[in-house]
Amino acid sequence: MNPGIEGIVGMYVKMGELDTLQRMKEHRQNLLEQCVDTANFSFDVTRSIYRSDLEVIEAGIESLSGEVTGHVDVFNENRIAGWALYDRHPDKRVMIEIYFNGDLVAEIVADQFRKDLLKLNKGDGHHAFMFEPPAGSYQLPLQLEIRAAKRKVLKAVTIEAPAAAVEPATTVEPAMDDEAK
């Protein structure tokens, strides 16, 4: 852990500098993306430091942003949709992560406008998200998890394949001859 980053993030948290922390996060993410190993050099240590820095920065952002409120309205093979917002900073957009069977399949921002959210005083109404799973990716059985801001689980469900329809057993009455009747 880099003690310097903890001090810097702590200072920005005390000052309420959410935008500055967001910029720091973006900068560290960009640096992390540039750490590409070559045949002669490995960036393993540098990547580890950047990831650690990002965890500290994320914690600072979380402490300033407040709780995430949200809901998943629809989840099926054609569409996953809902809304999410930070209760203390509804002007900041929430990142949504969608997992299928533990694998991250999408990261999207909850920034689409919905009139009903505005009427319900949910910020400026720009807090909706919608994701269309790629064809064939929504395979049952499926463990679906939708997270907001990497921490709040909006929906976690296992969707089972429908049970095969079983024909009811039919009993055939033995044919009776005319004499037995």
Side-chain angles (χ1 to χ4, degrees), residues 151-177:
R151 64 186 189 271
K152 168 108 182 208
V153 176
L154 295 178
K155 181 63 107 182
V157 63
T158 299
I159 306 162
E160 299 291 340
V166 177
E167 291 292 324
T170 57
T171 56
V172 176
E173 295 288 327
M176 294 188 186
D177 58 5

Side-chain angles (χ1 to χ4, degrees), residues 29-41:
Q29 287 172 326
N30 288 335
L31 290 174
L32 183 61
E33 290 171 8
Q34 294 174 24
C35 291
V36 178
D37 293 340
T38 66
N40 300 315
F41 191 80

